[in-house]
Amino acid sequence: KTVLHLDDNEWYGGHQWATFSMSEFRHWVQQQDGQEIMRLTNEDALGRSREYAIDILPVPIMAAGPLVSLLVNSAIGRYLEFKAVDKLYFFTDNKLQPVPCSKSEVFKSKVISKKQKGQLMNFMKSVMDQGEDVKEGEDAQQDKQTPDYSQITFQDYLAERGISGDLQRFISYAIALDPGVECSAAEALRTMKEHLESVGKYGPTAFLFNMYGVAEVPQAFARVCAIYGGTYVLRRGIKTITTDEHGHVAGLVCTAGQ
């Protein structure tokens, strides 16, 4: 069996994993009926179009996350080049503040008070100690001593632990990565654990970034697929799917009529 992948876009990975040169980006904006926000009287000031790699949706990758494991185990990672993100910042008190990524940086930080630093360290330790044991649904019901974290929001969970104010905002945005008001405690705790496990794995922060844009990831998968006989066709979408008398798929017609 072989794989035929049709994509009516001119690039790999759809919009989520798209990376454009400057000229491609400006063309994409026009296709979306958007207006360019950049106006230059001297176009030469931009330099060469191919010197840019503009991600439509930047995707920083967790160093200990499932995508990195997949890239390593499948050997697809050998087709990619990453750079560790050196520093994280979050906006508070009308200015950008660095996110501490180690125990020493936590205690040097001026973002939170000395009392809050102790609370933060204890809270992060409890998150790591829980590990994969964050229970929800039927698992929590069977364990009478463990609350069902899927039934409470992360904000309520923090409040129950006496974490509020600046420290709650810091944990929500800088460590739990803005889980949202309705996010369950179970989901946020899993994100926090993955974040904390990722810190220091390949660099000072938890994140990796593609050197040449996020589009390199789907392109790497496409290369490996082609090695094993798969076929990728860009600028071709599916127009019609044909079936036989038994209702089984018999073929398809692409947007080019083939």
Side-chain angles (χ1 to χ4, degrees):
K1 294 182 179 180
T2 59
V3 173
L4 172 63
H5 183 108
L6 300 179
D7 193 334
D8 54 7
N9 290 312
E10 298 179 2
W11 59 87
Y12 293 92
H15 292 297
Q16 183 175 356
W17 296 88
T19 301
F20 297 139
S21 66
M22 180 57 72
S23 60
E24 289 170 338
F25 173 68
R26 300 178 79 167
H27 177 64
W28 178 82
V29 170
Q30 294 172 356
Q31 286 184 320
Q32 309 307 309
D33 296 325
Q35 296 182 354
E36 290 191 51
I37 60 173
M38 180 174 55
R39 291 285 185 266
L40 292 176
T41 55
N42 181 11
E43 291 287 335
D44 294 335
L46 289 174
R48 293 188 301 172
S49 173
R50 285 292 172 187
E51 292 179 345
Y52 293 84
I54 303 172
D55 293 332
I56 297 302
L57 182 62
V59 184
I61 300 171
M62 285 273 201
L67 178 56
V68 171
S69 297
L70 175 61
L71 294 174
V72 172
N73 295 334
S74 64
I76 290 176
R78 64 187 176 182
Y79 296 97
L80 301 167
E81 188 173 349
F82 293 94
K83 177 175 174 54
V85 176
D86 294 324
K87 203 71 177 174
L88 298 178
Y89 294 84
F90 79 111
F91 191 73
T92 182
D93 295 330
N94 293 319
K95 58 183 176 182
L96 287 173
Q97 296 281 10
V99 176
C101 294
S102 67
K103 185 175 180 179
S104 62
E105 288 183 1
V106 168
F107 286 102
K108 290 178 183 177
S109 176
K110 298 179 181 179
V111 178
I112 51 181
S113 68
K114 185 175 180 179
K115 178 183 177 181
Q116 290 174 328
K117 290 173 184 177
Q119 277 186 291
L120 176 61
M121 294 303 298
N122 290 333
F123 178 66
M124 290 194 297
K125 183 178 184 303
S126 73
V127 171
M128 295 302 293
D129 288 344
Q130 287 183 96
E132 300 298 328
D133 297 328
V134 176
K135 293 183 171 60
E136 52 183 314
E138 293 182 2
D139 292 335
Q141 292 174 9
Q142 294 174 5
D143 187 347
K144 304 295 184 181
Q145 297 179 344
T146 304
D148 185 354
Y149 291 127
S150 67
Q151 299 302 311
I152 59 174
T153 67
F154 185 52
Q155 302 302 324
D156 290 340
Y157 173 81
L158 292 176
E160 287 180 2
R161 297 180 64 92
I163 297 174
S164 59
D166 293 340
L167 183 56
Q168 185 176 115
R169 286 191 293 274
F170 176 82
I171 291 173
S172 296
Y173 289 100
I175 305 177
L177 308 178
D178 189 16
V181 177
E182 300 300 324
C183 179
S184 71
E187 182 179 348
L189 289 171
R190 281 193 293 268
T191 300
M192 283 191 63
K193 182 176 183 294
E194 186 176 304
H195 188 173
L196 294 173
E197 287 180 336
S198 298
V199 172
K201 187 168 184 178
Y202 296 110
T205 72
F207 297 100
L208 301 172
F209 217 93
N210 291 89
M211 283 290 291
Y212 305 105
V214 298
E216 289 292 300
V217 173
Q219 286 186 52
F221 278 95
R223 292 188 193 105
V224 174
C225 180
I227 290 173
Y228 291 95
T231 303
Y232 272 64
V233 183
L234 299 178
R235 305 180 188 88
R236 295 287 188 276
I238 297 176
K239 183 178 181 181
T240 307
I241 296 177
T242 60
T243 58
D244 59 22
E245 63 273 15
H246 302 294
H248 299 147
V249 175
L252 59 84
V253 179
C254 73
T255 50
Q258 298 169 305

